[in-house]
């Protein structure tokens, strides 16, 4: 398939070839016939991408604060790398798609192959879209009209918040694409409409749709026009669909409204508000969120769970359907909004036009290539690649943030040969595959696992898939590196143990199984371990993880998907304590924070005390309710009248240690590179795994026991 991507670092718009996405449960696979370029949103993204780092910072001051905080806790170089990595990830453009269903995922009802559908799919010739973000197109609505469904829903959701009634006076400030659609939607509600814009051509279209007009650029006074328009009483409501850094549209809206008027911001403006403007009239001001209820809710969008009609009448999907009904009735006319048509293959020229001409409204991209040719599962990135015998040849499953920033570079630095990168969507695999030097990008996992050239598989996907992919890779006879956690349930752990045990009878040399417990490989932890070797008596550990809060609806908090943060993150410290103690775990006690009003999740605020066979013990404080300015990870060891203290894997101090006082690093090092390097070395020298298999299973089992205990409290 081909897809349009925007480089947010350099500002370049590209048409990228990638493997077609897999359909997945609860989704549809759609062959695109036409897409609409959202002139306002996509022009804004392109302009942001072309801006300098200083200009980007000025546009996002809240992100600058986050960056400065990260510098304080993680160091300058680590922060710079994180920012560059974030900006270096190309962004898919587009959200107005029309196409034909070519495959229906498991659990999807109401759609079949061959259906014409409108969705929020991006500019790509094959798209995978969750069922709640798709709707069937009526027979008498053509593709060019239907492609306006999603963008019109943005205006419609703003109207639902404003609650216009028959005969009211409404102002639309900014009549670009969404503004002109909003004018028509207000007219369909029986409202009188005043359109305000600096572009006379757009105002002429608004007039065609039944609006009065005002052009401040031509010397007209919007406030005076608003009073005349509303017969001297002030307007009932204002829809702001403009895009500007100025706060003038909001100030102007407040001044032209009647008492208790309504203002809804659909576009983007400055928000320096004058309290007096709102106080005296008791005005309401609200920001509209995209297409409607359900937007950005993973339960609705990703899992397909609908909201009950009796409680949420207009979800985003129902808004899509309402727009299509208006197209059927003729109350919404989008044909005059189409200003340009391009072949999809000419997309770079289309975006150049978008940048050069501010008058662009409806810019359509047409897709005419054969559908079968779009559904490729593999793309060759390095046709000339060869793979020496005896080297670790790696296939990656997953190309998310951690994989692209940490693990892929670590495997490359360790000398591993990067063969195939498999992702569900295809595009991320190409982006990071090209950057790192992979031979192929693919969405076909079975083909990768059956490839005899690949002897090693790295699993870096969401936690609920780890165990399944580990078992599949082991059965395929591959060495396996899985990012923590190993699994989420005792049943999954048993499956892994059975698969690993079966290897001894299936092949001469057993595959290595490695979990990405990188903390034990960090240089300061290695120094800690070396110092502790001379201490024969039991040791005491205190490990504090100032994890920071994440929303209750984040996938990591979902016990079925992420496993919760103890399984997903605290396992690092269980393994680290096991490593430093150098002795099997014999006892575990855990306690979580009690229930409290306003606290949705308590499992990520817990203490875990572990006892070891050699008499050592330690406590892990995993806390999501601390200050961001406090060090994120602190490790303290008390032994034989001496103390070691490590802060955030940057500074380590020794108290009472002969010949050792401190070990500070200029850059944070949590051991990711060393962890991977040891694994790769073990494969190539045919040695045992850097973390013994028994310890990996022990830590996984203990972690699951801890979580089981916490959830019973």
């Amino acid at each position: 398939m081909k897809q349009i991507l925007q480089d947010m670092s350099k500002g370049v718009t590209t048409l990228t070839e990638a493997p077609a996405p897999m359909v997945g449960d609860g989704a549809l696979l759609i062959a695109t016939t036409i897409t609409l370029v959202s002139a306002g949103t996509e022009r804004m993204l392109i302009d942001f991408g072309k801006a300098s780092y200083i200009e980007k910072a000025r546009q996002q001051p809240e992100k600058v604060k986050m960056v400065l905080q990260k510098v304080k806790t993680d160091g300058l170089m680590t922060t710079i790398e994180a920012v560059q990595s974030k900006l270096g990830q190309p962004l898919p453009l587009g959200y107005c798609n029309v196409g034909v269903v070519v495959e229906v995922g498991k659990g999807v009802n109401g759609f079949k192959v061959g259906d014409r559908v409108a969705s929020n799919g991006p500019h790509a010739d094959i798209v995978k879209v969750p069922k709640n973000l798709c709707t069937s197109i009526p027979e008498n609505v053509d593709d060019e009209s239907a492609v306006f469904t999603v963008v019109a829903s943005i205006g419609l959701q703003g109207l639902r918040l404003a609650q216009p009634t028959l005969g009211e006076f409404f102002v639309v400030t900014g009549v670009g694409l969404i503004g002109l659609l909003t004018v028509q939607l207000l007219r369909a509600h029986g409202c009188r409409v005043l359109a305000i814009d600096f572009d006379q051509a757009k105002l002429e279209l608004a007039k065609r749709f039944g609006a009065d007009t005002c052009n401040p650029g031509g010397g007209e006074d919007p406030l005076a026009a608003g009073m005349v328009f509303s017969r001297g009483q002030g307007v009932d409501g204002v829809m702001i669909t403009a895009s500007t850094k100025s706060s003038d549209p909001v100030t102007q809206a407040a001044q032209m409204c009647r008492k208790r008027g309504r203002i809804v911001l659909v576009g983007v403006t400055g928000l320096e508000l004058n309290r007096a403007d709102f106080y005296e009239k008791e005005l309401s001001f609200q920001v509209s969120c995209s297409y409607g209820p359900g937007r950005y809710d993973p339960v609705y969008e990703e899992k397909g769970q609908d909201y009950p009609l009796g409680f949420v009448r207009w979800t985003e999907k129902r808004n899509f359907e309402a727009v299509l009904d208006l197209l059927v009735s003729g109350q919404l006319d989008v044909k005059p909004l189409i200003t340009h048509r391009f072949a999809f293959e000419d997309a770079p020229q289309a975006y150049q036009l978008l940048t050069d001409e501010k008058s662009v409204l409806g810019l359509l991209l047409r897709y005419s290539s054969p559908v079968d040719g779009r559904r490729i599962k593999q793309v060759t990135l390095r046709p000339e690649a060869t793979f020496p015998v005896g080297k670790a040849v790696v296939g990656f499953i997953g190309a998310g943030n951690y994989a692209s920033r940490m693990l892929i570079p670590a495997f490359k630095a360790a000398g591993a040969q990067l063969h195939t990168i498999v992702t569900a969507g295809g595009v991320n695999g190409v982006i990071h595959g090209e950057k790192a030097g992979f031979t192929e990008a693919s969405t076909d996992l079975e083909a990768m696992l059956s490839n005899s050239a690949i002897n090693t598989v790295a699993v870096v996907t969401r936690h609920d898939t780890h165990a399944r992919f580990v078992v599949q890779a082991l059965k395929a006879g591959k060495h396996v590196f899985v990012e923590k956690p190993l699994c989420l349930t005792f049943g999954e752990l048993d499956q892994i143990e059975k698969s690993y045990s079966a290897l001894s009878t299936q092949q001469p040399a057993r595959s290595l199984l490695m979990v990405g417990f990188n903390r034990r490989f960090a240089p300061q932890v290695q120094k800690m371990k070396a110092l502790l070797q001379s201490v024969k008596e039991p040791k005491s550990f205190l490990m504090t993880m100032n994890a920071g809060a994440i929303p209750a609806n984040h996938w990591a908090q979902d016990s079925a998907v992420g496993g919760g943060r103890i399984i997903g993150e605290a396992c690092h410290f269980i393994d680290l304590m096991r490593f430093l103690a150098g002795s099997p775990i014999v006892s575990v006690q855990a306690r979580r924070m009690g229930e409290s009003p306003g606290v949705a999740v308590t499992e990520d605020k817990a203490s875990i005390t572990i006892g070891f066979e050699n008499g050592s013990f330690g406590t892990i404080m995993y806390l999501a309710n601390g200050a961001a300015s406090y060090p994120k990870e602190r490790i303290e060891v008390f032994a034989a009248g001496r103390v070691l203290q490590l802060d955030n894997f940057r500074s380590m101090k020794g108290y009472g240690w002969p010949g050792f006082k401190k070990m500070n690093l200029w850059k944070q090092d949590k051991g990711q590179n060393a962890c991977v390097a040891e694994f790769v070395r073990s494969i190539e020298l045919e040695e045992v795994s850097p973390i013994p298999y028994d310890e990996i299973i022990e830590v996984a089992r203990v972690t699951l026991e801890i979580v089981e205990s916490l959830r019973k409290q």
Side-chain angles (χ1 to χ4, degrees):
M1 73 160 188
K2 290 184 173 67
Q3 181 165 351
I4 298 172
L5 301 176
Q6 177 65 30
D7 187 325
M8 302 308 292
S9 177
K10 300 175 183 177
V12 179
T13 306
T14 58
L15 190 61
T16 300
E17 185 172 0
M22 305 301 287
V23 65
D25 294 348
L28 301 171
L29 202 62
I30 301 165
T32 306
T33 55
I34 194 165
T35 57
L36 168 68
V37 174
S38 176
T41 301
E42 295 185 51
R43 183 186 288 120
M44 181 177 64
L45 290 172
I46 291 170
D47 290 345
F48 180 82
K50 291 180 178 179
S52 66
Y53 283 130
I54 293 176
E55 290 171 333
K56 286 181 171 75
R58 286 174 178 166
Q59 291 180 44
Q60 296 188 317
E62 72 286 350
K63 297 288 179 65
V64 174
K65 292 179 182 178
M66 294 170 63
V67 168
L68 293 175
Q69 184 60 60
K70 188 173 178 65
V71 170
K72 291 179 182 178
T73 57
D74 296 354
L76 178 62
M77 293 307 298
T78 300
T79 303
I80 289 174
E81 288 176 0
V83 171
Q84 289 177 335
S85 174
K86 186 69 175 176
L87 289 173
Q89 295 181 15
L91 186 71
L93 292 179
Y95 58 87
C96 300
N97 185 293
V98 162
V100 177
V101 175
V102 293
E103 191 172 349
V104 178
K106 183 180 178 182
V108 177
N109 298 315
F111 296 96
K112 64 182 184 300
V113 173
D115 284 351
R116 284 193 311 136
V117 293
S119 76
N120 79 329
H123 299 305
D125 55 19
I126 288 283
V127 296
K128 179 184 78 172
V129 183
K131 64 180 183 180
N132 278 348
L133 288 168
C134 299
T135 187
S136 296
I137 301 170
E139 287 185 9
N140 54 346
V141 176
D142 61 70
D143 287 357
E144 287 197 347
S145 297
V147 80
F148 285 83
T149 298
V150 176
V151 71
S153 295
I154 296 173
L156 180 56
Q157 172 59 16
L159 259 65
R160 297 206 187 283
L161 296 177
Q163 297 181 330
T165 60
L166 185 71
E168 284 194 308
F169 299 95
F170 261 81
V171 172
V172 177
T173 301
V175 285
L177 189 59
I178 294 177
L180 288 166
L181 289 164
T182 302
V183 166
Q184 295 188 65
L185 292 169
L186 281 165
R187 292 292 294 155
H189 276 74
C191 297
R192 289 190 59 201
V193 182
L194 172 65
I196 301 176
D197 202 289
F198 288 86
D199 188 328
Q200 189 59 38
K202 292 175 182 174
L203 289 175
E204 291 301 323
L205 274 173
K207 187 180 295 185
R208 177 175 170 178
F209 296 139
D212 292 354
T213 62
C214 172
N215 186 345
E220 297 180 76
D221 181 356
L223 296 180
M227 291 306 292
V228 171
F229 167 71
S230 62
R231 299 171 186 154
Q233 63 190 26
V235 300
D236 298 287
V238 180
M239 307 295 299
I240 304 175
T241 52
S243 178
T244 175
K245 296 177 183 178
S246 171
S247 299
D248 289 348
V250 182
T251 301
Q252 177 181 284
Q255 292 174 353
M256 66 172 56
C257 272
R258 64 167 172 80
K259 191 174 181 64
R260 296 193 176 181
R262 296 97 74 194
I263 302 170
V264 175
L265 176 60
V266 178
V268 180
T269 69
L271 289 175
E272 294 181 6
L273 308 182
N274 184 342
R275 179 178 179 274
D277 290 337
F278 288 81
Y279 172 77
E280 293 172 3
K281 295 181 180 178
E282 293 186 323
L283 301 177
S284 66
F285 175 75
Q286 192 165 3
V287 179
S288 179
C289 178
S290 197
Y291 332 132
R295 190 67 178 128
Y296 308 118
D297 178 358
V299 175
Y300 177 89
E301 292 193 339
E302 297 173 21
K303 295 185 178 180
Q305 182 175 317
D306 199 2
Y307 299 153
L309 183 71
F311 294 91
V312 185
R313 177 61 184 91
W314 294 110
T315 60
E316 51 188 327
K317 180 171 182 173
R318 291 172 195 144
N319 276 339
F320 293 173
E321 293 168 347
V323 169
L324 286 165
D325 286 340
L326 288 170
L327 289 169
V328 170
S329 67
Q331 292 172 283
L332 192 60
D333 182 10
V334 297
K335 293 294 187 181
L337 303 180
I338 301 171
T339 56
H340 299 83
R341 296 174 176 85
F342 282 85
F344 174 57
E345 291 74 17
D346 296 329
Q349 294 94 299
Y351 279 93
Q352 187 60 52
L353 176 71
L354 183 68
T355 302
D356 295 342
E357 293 188 22
K358 303 303 180 184
S359 61
V360 171
L361 281 174
L363 196 160
L364 304 185
L365 301 178
R366 292 171 163 177
Y367 300 69
S368 57
S369 62
V371 173
D372 290 344
R374 306 179 192 182
R375 299 189 67 182
I376 57 172
K377 293 184 178 181
Q378 293 177 321
V379 171
T380 300
L381 306 176
R382 279 198 313 145
E384 76 287 354
T386 58
F387 299 96
V389 176
K391 300 291 286 184
V393 181
V394 186
F396 255 77
I397 309 175
N401 188 48
Y402 188 76
S404 61
R405 280 191 57 216
M406 294 293 181
L407 283 187
I408 292 174
F411 271 90
K412 187 173 182 179
Q417 307 297 298
L418 304 178
H419 193 290
T420 300
I421 183 166
V422 175
T423 57
V427 173
N428 265 357
V430 170
I431 292 169
H432 300 297
E434 287 182 335
K435 187 180 297 185
F438 278 85
T439 299
E440 291 182 355
S442 175
T443 53
D444 190 341
L445 176 61
E446 295 301 325
M448 189 266 275
L449 291 176
S450 63
N451 191 324
S452 59
I454 297 171
N455 57 25
T456 305
V457 170
V459 179
V460 202
T461 51
R462 280 196 176 183
H463 300 168
D464 59 328
T465 64
H466 285 190
R468 171 163 53 92
F469 290 148
V470 166
V471 168
Q472 286 180 262
L474 288 173
K475 288 182 177 179
K478 313 295 186 185
H479 302 294
V480 182
F481 182 104
V482 57
E483 182 46 36
K484 52 78 190 166
L486 178 62
C487 58
L488 301 186
T489 67
F490 288 109
E492 290 179 344
L493 183 59
D494 289 343
Q495 289 177 14
I496 291 170
E497 288 187 273
K498 289 175 182 176
S499 298
Y500 188 80
S501 298
L503 293 176
S504 59
T505 60
Q506 294 178 0
Q507 57 190 73
R510 174 173 283 182
S511 298
L512 301 185
L513 174 61
M514 175 78 163
V515 177
F517 289 136
N518 50 276
R519 301 308 196 268
R520 62 162 66 195
F521 297 94
Q524 290 159 317
V525 170
Q526 290 289 309
K527 179 65 175 179
M528 215 178 244
K529 179 73 171 179
L531 291 169
L532 292 173
Q533 295 285 21
S534 63
V535 178
K536 305 304 179 186
E537 62 186 73
K539 307 156 187 75
S540 304
F541 306 96
L542 179 60
M543 299 185 177
T544 304
M545 195 166 188
N546 180 35
I550 61 174
N553 63 353
H554 189 280
W555 68 268
Q557 301 277 32
D558 188 329
S559 60
V561 179
R565 300 182 78 185
I566 300 301
I567 288 178
E569 296 176 9
C571 59
H572 262 311
F573 281 77
I574 298 168
D575 174 77
L576 179 56
M577 195 178 290
R578 171 66 176 83
F579 172 68
L580 291 173
S583 178
I585 297 170
V586 294
S587 67
V588 175
Q589 292 177 306
R591 180 73 189 176
R592 64 172 172 84
M593 192 174 78
E595 304 293 338
S596 176
V599 179
V601 180
T602 57
E603 184 181 300
D604 60 2
K605 305 161 191 70
S607 69
I608 302 164
T609 300
I610 301 174
F612 297 91
E613 192 175 79
N614 64 5
S616 298
F617 79 99
T619 298
I620 298 168
M621 301 295 294
Y622 187 94
L623 305 171
N625 55 348
S629 56
Y630 187 81
K632 188 173 182 181
E633 300 180 14
R634 170 171 284 182
I635 301 161
E636 296 171 293
V637 184
F638 301 80
R642 308 166 192 173
V643 177
L644 291 169
Q645 184 185 68
L646 172 59
D647 271 342
N648 235 21
F649 293 88
R650 291 181 64 204
S651 62
M652 185 167 79
K653 296 178 181 178
Y655 299 86
W657 288 90
F660 178 78
K661 290 186 177 180
K662 64 180 180 179
M663 180 183 175
N664 297 333
L665 304 179
W666 68 279
K667 176 184 175 184
Q668 186 183 65
D669 188 345
K670 294 183 180 180
Q672 287 98 340
N673 284 356
C675 175
V676 171
E678 285 298 308
F679 176 64
V680 171
R681 187 174 81 71
S682 298
I683 292 171
E684 295 180 351
L685 297 180
E686 298 185 356
E687 296 180 345
V688 297
S689 175
I691 303 178
Y693 170 77
D694 290 343
E695 286 186 31
I696 287 173
I697 299 301
E698 179 186 5
V699 168
R701 193 170 296 281
V702 166
T703 302
L704 294 173
E705 289 171 355
I706 289 167
V707 171
E708 186 176 62
S709 170
L710 290 173
R711 291 174 182 170
K712 288 179 179 178
Q713 293 175 14

